[in-house]
Amino acid sequence: MRIALVALALSGMTAARGLAQTPIHLSADTLASLSQPARVPFLKRPVVWRTAIPVVFVGLGYLSRNENVLDEMKEVVHEETHEHFPHFHTSLDNYSRHAPVWAAYGLYALGMHGQRGVVPFTAIYGLSHALSSGVVSGLKHVGGTRRPDDPADFSSFPSAHTAEAFMTATLLYEQFGHTRPWLAAGGYTVAAATGAMRMLNNRHWITDVVAGASIGFLSAETVWRLYPAAARLLPGHLEEKLLLMPTYVPGGAVGFTLAVKPQERPAYSKRR
């Protein structure tokens, strides 16, 4: 019995050694497939859903202008909201929409480092604000949706306050939220509260708020993703020549001024 087991073990070792010494031949197609990363199906790519869902929300909000099931839904939400909060009024939403970007600059002042420097972040914020405001203004012009508190005002769709809030919250997330998730959660909580206050103040329908949030998110994401490619088109070392300074305007307005340092001219020695 022992002799049989020893013989079996020796045969197994010999077979394993033979397999290890046997060369393995792979075709060129197999090698090419192994070297290439696995392709993710189009509908499973995160960027597709991050773009498609907000666009759908904006489209549904636009369709709710007419008499349909979406219009009935927003009317029901409006009635339920003001049945439970009939005397709600606040002006906090005028300031909370800017809170996430104020938080971002506050973190810069505390010495925290984000994904990009303060000058690129400021440029991205300005471009995102311009894109979001342009889209909101255009949709307000073509949408013609009456406000719930003023039937004579047809500028309800979409909510500019909510768009600004979600735009700044998205920039806060992209700048600091990847390493500090609590900041991202705080920024989006403030943005959602801003949209809720717009409804509780009887200034917007729920479809206006959802569409505004979608526009703000898409505007910030678009500029954030495209900025590196656009920055490469600028003259070299331009960032080193930019200076960001806080400014105060009479009347209580506070803002920022972006100055460009002029190019130094070489000094020429006088010939005698």
Side-chain angles (χ1 to χ4, degrees), residues 76-96:
V76 170
V77 173
H78 175 262
E79 293 175 1
E80 291 290 334
T81 300
H82 287 276
E83 181 179 348
H84 291 84
F85 303 94
H87 305 295
F88 183 91
H89 178 73
T90 182
S91 59
L92 183 61
D93 48 353
N94 292 327
Y95 308 97
S96 62

Side-chain angles (χ1 to χ4, degrees), residues 32-236:
S33 62
L34 292 175
S35 62
Q36 295 179 356
R39 294 183 178 180
V40 180
F42 180 77
L43 293 179
K44 292 185 178 181
R45 297 177 183 177
V47 66
V48 174
W49 291 101
R50 288 166 66 89
T51 304
I53 293 177
V55 170
V56 169
F57 283 152
V58 175
L60 292 176
Y62 185 80
L63 293 176
S64 68
R65 302 176 304 118
N66 304 319
E67 294 183 1
N68 50 39
V69 64
L70 295 172
D71 180 61
E72 295 177 1
M73 182 271 294
K74 75 180 185 183
E75 292 278 1
V76 170
V77 173
H78 175 262
E79 293 175 1
E80 291 290 334
T81 300
H82 287 276
E83 181 179 348
H84 291 84
F85 303 94
H87 305 295
F88 183 91
H89 178 73
T90 182
S91 59
L92 183 61
D93 48 353
N94 292 327
Y95 308 97
S96 62
R97 56 177 170 166
H98 304 298
V101 77
W102 291 345
Y105 283 113
L107 294 174
Y108 276 122
L110 293 175
M112 291 188 181
H113 298 284
Q115 297 292 323
R116 294 170 185 170
V118 62
V119 172
F121 180 79
T122 303
I124 292 172
Y125 168 60
L127 293 172
S128 300
H129 175 76
L131 177 59
S132 178
S133 300
V135 173
V136 168
S137 298
L139 288 176
K140 282 182 179 291
H141 179 71
V142 301
T145 303
R146 63 178 180 85
R147 289 188 182 271
D149 64 336
D150 186 2
D153 187 349
F154 289 89
S155 63
S156 186
F157 176 83
S159 170
H161 282 66
T162 311
E164 181 76 11
F166 273 84
M167 184 267 292
T168 56
T170 301
L171 292 181
L172 178 64
Y173 161 73
E174 291 291 356
Q175 186 70 355
F176 295 103
H178 292 284
T179 56
R180 302 172 181 87
W182 57 273
L183 280 175
Y188 281 117
T189 299
V190 172
T194 301
M197 285 186 286
R198 296 305 289 169
M199 295 171 55
L200 292 171
N201 278 334
N202 201 25
R203 292 293 291 166
H204 283 288
W205 312 95
I206 186 173
T207 48
D208 304 336
V209 169
V210 173
S214 301
I215 293 170
F217 171 80
L218 284 177
S219 299
E221 283 290 302
T222 299
V223 176
W224 183 271
R225 306 295 177 185
L226 295 180
Y227 179 81
R232 285 193 290 266
L233 301 177
L234 298 176

